[in-house]
Amino acid sequence: MNIQDYKPISDYGIIGNLKSVALIARDGAIDWCCLPRMDSPSVFGALLDARRGGFFRIGPAGGGRGNQEYVQESNVLKTSFELEGAVLTVTDFMPLDGDINGRNDAYAPPEIHRLIECRGGSVDVELLWCPRFDYAGKSVALERISGGWIARSEEDAMRLEGLESAEPGEDDHGPLIRARFRINPGESKAIVVRWGAEDGKNGYETALALKSTLECWNGWLHQEGSVMKQVWAGDQINMVIRSALVIKLMCIGDQGSIAAAPTTSLPEVLGGVRNWDYRYAWIRDAAMTGQALISIGHEAESVDLMRWFEEVSKTCKSCKRDLQIMYGLQGELELTEQQLEHLEGYKGSRPVNIGNEAYGQFQLEVYGELVSTAYELARRGHPLTDDISEFITWIADHVVEVWERPDFGIWEFRGEARHFVYSKAMAWVALDKALLLAKHYKLKGNVELWDETRTRIQEQVMEKGFDSELNAFVQSYGSKDMDAANLRLALVEFLPADDSKIQGTVNRIMKELMSDCLIRRYIADDGLPGEEGAFGLCTFWLVDVLALSGRIEEAEKIFRNIVQYANHLGLFSEQVDPKTGGFLGNFPQAFTHIGLINSILYLAYAKGLDVPVHDPIGTPGHREFRNNGDTAGNQ
């Protein structure tokens, strides 16, 4: 294995259609795509095994590295290769047609369209199609068909259309198609990959599909009250737009679920074992995603997400057991973890995992996130339905019963359960927001018991979770370790941002966990070898709490630094190597883009800019509302 065969994670752009996605490198290669859905087995997986995994490359003969940009503020990606006297462009997209606001039934076929054009002079184009079904675990047979080729493997099939002539060939791991043709100025050629054995006669032609796809993304982005109207973003509006579009790509349009990321097993430590499958709907990640979308005017996704979580959680409620921390994107309950031994992993980072064993963990934090999402929707005028009200009441009652249990924490440690400070604080949040919903939005429940338990939780955390010697909240009861999750204690209003205990915690975290203005999640024994990189979301949390504390200059410095780590398209991974700036972890990561949006909002609020949305949680405006109850913040 030669790690030079792998491109940097930052070299990729993403396309998708709310059912699946594809990652496309600057050399024009699709190195990751799962069809027909995001959580299906891969059909192109060179990202996880450069030789065995499969890919689909279109570019100039002889290779090259192009420039990439998105078309018209959409998720349509254009890769341009500048050659001597000519420019070759490949425009990639997955078709969409219809209204994609919230949960929808938009036309979103499992297809990839690749439109090839040039200007300035003729260009010789090379195409390599190397399909590998089921994470390259099945043998593939190729067959010529009218206008192209079809790849088959047992019950799976995928078509390559628009290619009149080509040479079938083989490498060490299976068959492939190689073609070379010339494109002249003013000409265009459409190459289409379609999942399934049926031909594409009933599908849209590429030109019409491109038009409808652009209209879909632009329609969603420009809807009334949405991100384009958020003038508080100032000169950061383009980053907010790209983050919104990336987050929307994580939404499963016909379900209402939201994935944490579209990839699996991109390593948190190169060559290490910290490689996880993120193609699932974590309550934590999805709820935070929903809350970020609410702040930029896309509330329908959060409404549908709450309905979806309520629906998939009915089994837990009826069996009187804990909520799962994550679910499959179609509501699956069992996400058994498996290792794909035949794949070498990105740059040799094994194991390659599918499934995620953490689905069976107990985490207190998820209850606080769900009630917080319901609260954000309620204060923006979305009445609680009977089903959602019953769900929130059940959550609050359940938290009363289970909050004293140890759990595995927000970071899903794979050792022994502990009493994590942040987990206890989020149990407090679940009851705190339930009480606010009862006070202002007519939620019914045992408010006296909720209030009494909320007080007990806070008293216990103050007694056992704060270390006076360190002047900081620690990771878990009795430990001396710092945890960046505790930066959120002010952001969820466990204590005010200017409280001395919060400030002590912030300063200690900056001292122990910060390197080059980037924050690690923790430095502690988590049961796994290797030290991971800096965590994007945690760095944005530091920006938020510093802004709330009035430490605006420090917040802006850290913010300016981290946004420089976005790739050429404004995309972020889960983590960054502080030493090299290289991307680590799954990509693109919804968590990091959530953090970006929230930090721009908190900075704007702290600087006194006109923020025509409800006061963010943790701000003086919202704290005044919770104390007095006269108004729900900015209207």
Side-chain angles (χ1 to χ4, degrees):
M1 188 274 295
N2 185 350
I3 64 172
Q4 297 303 322
D5 295 335
Y6 291 88
K7 300 141 196 170
I9 297 171
S10 58
D11 251 22
Y12 290 92
I14 185 172
I15 61 172
N17 64 355
L18 310 183
K19 288 188 179 177
S20 188
V21 302
L23 296 188
I24 305 170
R26 295 178 69 169
D27 67 349
I30 299 175
D31 287 338
W32 181 254
C33 182
C34 299
L35 291 175
R37 305 184 74 95
M38 187 189 300
D39 53 355
S40 300
S42 67
V43 296
F44 302 120
L47 192 65
L48 297 180
D49 194 309
R51 281 162 299 287
R52 185 188 295 269
F55 63 93
F56 178 23
R57 179 183 176 272
I58 297 177
R65 189 166 180 263
N67 299 312
Q68 290 182 321
E69 62 180 348
Y70 283 104
V71 180
Q72 299 177 18
E73 295 173 338
S74 71
N75 283 311
V76 175
L77 182 65
K78 179 179 288 188
T79 306
S80 300
F81 300 89
E82 295 187 7
L83 309 167
E84 188 174 346
V87 177
L88 173 71
T89 64
V90 182
T91 301
D92 290 304
F93 65 96
M94 300 182 78
L96 269 173
D97 190 16
D99 182 2
I100 62 172
N101 192 42
R103 186 170 181 171
N104 60 77
D105 59 357
Y107 177 70
E111 301 174 358
I112 302 170
H113 289 240
R114 313 199 72 180
L115 183 64
I116 310 164
E117 301 169 294
C118 73
R119 65 179 188 272
S122 300
V123 176
D124 288 329
V125 178
E126 185 177 57
L127 179 152
L128 283 168
W129 190 55
C130 182
R132 298 289 183 262
F133 293 109
D134 194 15
Y135 306 105
K138 293 180 178 178
S139 59
V140 177
L142 294 181
E143 175 188 344
R144 188 186 296 273
I145 56 174
S146 176
W149 296 79
I150 188 167
R152 299 181 188 273
S153 180
E154 298 177 6
E155 71 278 6
D156 297 327
M158 182 167 61
R159 299 170 66 94
L160 177 68
E161 299 178 359
L163 194 62
E164 292 79 14
S165 60
E167 299 176 8
E170 238 180 84
D171 63 16
D172 292 339
H173 303 290
L176 56 82
I177 295 295
R178 178 182 287 108
R180 186 164 176 162
F181 49 86
R182 175 162 291 189
I183 294 288
N184 298 311
E187 294 180 348
S188 64
K189 186 175 186 63
I191 304 294
V192 181
V193 169
R194 304 183 198 271
W195 179 256
E198 296 183 5
D199 64 40
K201 292 179 180 177
N202 296 325
Y204 283 173
E205 293 182 0
T206 293
L208 292 175
L210 176 59
K211 181 176 182 292
S212 70
T213 302
L214 288 170
E215 288 174 350
C216 275
W217 291 119
N218 281 233
W220 179 79
L221 194 64
H222 290 264
Q223 64 182 288
E224 184 178 357
S226 66
V227 59
M228 299 299 293
K229 307 297 191 298
Q230 308 309 330
V231 294
W232 47 263
D235 58 4
Q236 305 293 336
I237 185 65
N238 288 333
M239 297 201 78
V240 173
I241 289 170
R242 181 50 47 199
S243 290
L245 286 165
V246 170
I247 290 172
K248 181 62 174 175
L249 275 179
M250 301 301 105
C251 298
I252 306 303
D254 60 356
Q255 294 290 317
S257 55
I258 304 177
T263 56
T264 178
S265 297
L266 288 179
E268 298 171 5
V269 180
L270 281 179
V273 300
R274 298 169 182 265
N275 316 316
W276 315 115
D277 193 347
Y278 277 11
R279 297 169 300 159
Y280 302 109
W282 269 259
I283 288 179
R284 172 191 63 238
D285 299 52
M288 288 186 183
T289 301
Q291 292 166 36
L293 287 171
I294 289 170
S295 73
I296 53 175
H298 290 289
E299 298 173 10
E301 285 74 16
S302 290
V303 172
D304 291 332
L305 179 68
M306 282 299 300
R307 291 171 178 161
W308 187 81
F309 274 132
E310 187 274 331
E311 186 67 29
V312 299
S313 298
K314 281 182 177 177
T315 301
C316 299
K317 290 166 55 182
S318 62
C319 297
K320 296 183 179 180
R321 62 186 179 91
D322 303 315
L323 291 182
Q324 289 189 193
I325 68 170
M326 69 178 89
Y327 299 87
L329 297 179
Q330 279 74 55
E332 299 93 336
L333 299 180
E334 294 189 12
L335 309 175
T336 305
E337 191 168 291
Q338 305 172 52
Q339 296 184 356
L340 303 180
E341 300 289 352
H342 62 285
L343 297 179
E344 68 183 13
Y346 179 79
K347 293 190 176 183
S349 303
R350 281 178 165 162
V352 172
N353 288 309
I354 57 172
N356 198 309
E357 207 63 43
Y359 82 94
Q361 288 187 352
F362 170 62
Q363 285 184 21
L364 278 168
E365 191 237 357
V366 299
Y367 300 104
E369 293 295 356
L370 280 173
V371 185
S372 292
T373 302
Y375 175 69
E376 290 288 356
L377 288 169
R379 72 188 188 114
R380 284 165 172 80
H382 293 275
L384 299 177
T385 64
D386 290 344
D387 285 346
I388 297 299
S389 293
E390 182 184 342
F391 184 40
I392 299 303
T393 298
W394 176 85
I395 288 174
D397 290 341
H398 191 67
V399 168
V400 169
E401 295 177 2
V402 302
W403 74 271
E404 291 185 279
R405 287 168 50 190
D407 74 342
F408 292 91
I410 180 176
W411 309 129
E412 296 164 12
F413 281 17
R414 297 203 170 193
E416 295 293 323
R418 306 182 214 169
H419 293 285
F420 286 95
V421 169
Y422 180 69
S423 297
K424 303 300 186 189
M426 289 304 292
W428 178 93
V429 168
L431 298 176
D432 181 64
K433 296 303 179 286
L435 286 164
L436 286 174
L437 285 168
K439 181 178 180 181
H440 301 293
Y441 303 105
K442 301 179 180 180
L443 180 70
K444 304 297 183 184
N446 191 343
V447 294
E448 290 185 5
L449 181 60
W450 297 350
D451 189 28
E452 175 188 330
T453 307
R454 177 181 63 169
T455 300
R456 289 177 58 207
I457 296 172
Q458 188 163 44
E459 289 174 348
Q460 186 187 94
V461 171
M462 299 294 280
E463 177 187 353
K464 297 184 177 183
F466 185 80
D467 188 302
S468 56
E469 182 180 332
L470 297 174
N471 191 30
F473 286 100
V474 292
Q475 185 175 73
S476 59
Y477 292 173
S479 79
K480 294 284 187 179
D481 298 323
M482 289 297 100
D483 190 328
N486 289 336
L487 291 168
R488 289 201 81 210
L489 295 182
L491 303 176
V492 299
E493 298 182 333
F494 186 80
L495 288 174
D498 58 1
D499 186 277
S500 62
K501 289 182 172 60
I502 293 293
Q503 289 302 300
T505 302
V506 170
N507 293 335
R508 193 77 191 187
I509 286 173
M510 291 175 69
K511 180 179 178 180
E512 293 193 16
L513 301 183
M514 188 162 72
S515 175
D516 295 327
C517 291
L518 298 170
I519 295 290
R520 297 183 187 273
R521 293 189 289 183
Y522 51 82
I523 300 176
D525 182 11
D526 60 3
L528 294 170
E531 184 179 86
E532 62 179 31
F535 206 79
L537 179 60
C538 294
T539 305
F540 284 121
W541 285 345
L542 177 59
V543 172
D544 300 346
V545 72
L546 287 173
L548 278 181
S549 307
R551 299 165 64 174
I552 298 175
E553 187 174 335
E554 292 173 86
E556 288 189 312
K557 177 183 177 182
I558 293 167
F559 179 82
R560 287 193 301 269
N561 179 70
I562 189 173
V563 296
Q564 293 178 10
Y565 287 93
N567 79 350
H568 57 290
L569 292 166
L571 307 180
F572 289 93
S573 61
E574 179 186 26
Q575 300 182 24
V576 172
D577 185 332
K579 297 177 182 177
T580 67
F583 281 12
L584 296 169
N586 285 301
F587 169 85
Q589 180 75 13
F591 248 178
T592 315
H593 287 277
I594 293 164
L596 173 79
I597 291 172
N598 288 337
S599 286
I600 293 173
L601 178 62
Y602 276 105
L603 280 168
Y605 190 97
K607 291 189 288 188
L609 301 180
D610 183 18
V611 181
V613 296
H614 289 67
D615 294 313
I617 304 297
T619 60
H622 185 264
R623 294 194 69 88
E624 182 179 353
F625 161 64
R626 63 174 297 130
N627 292 334
N628 300 326
D630 296 329
T631 146
N634 294 336
Q635 302 294 319

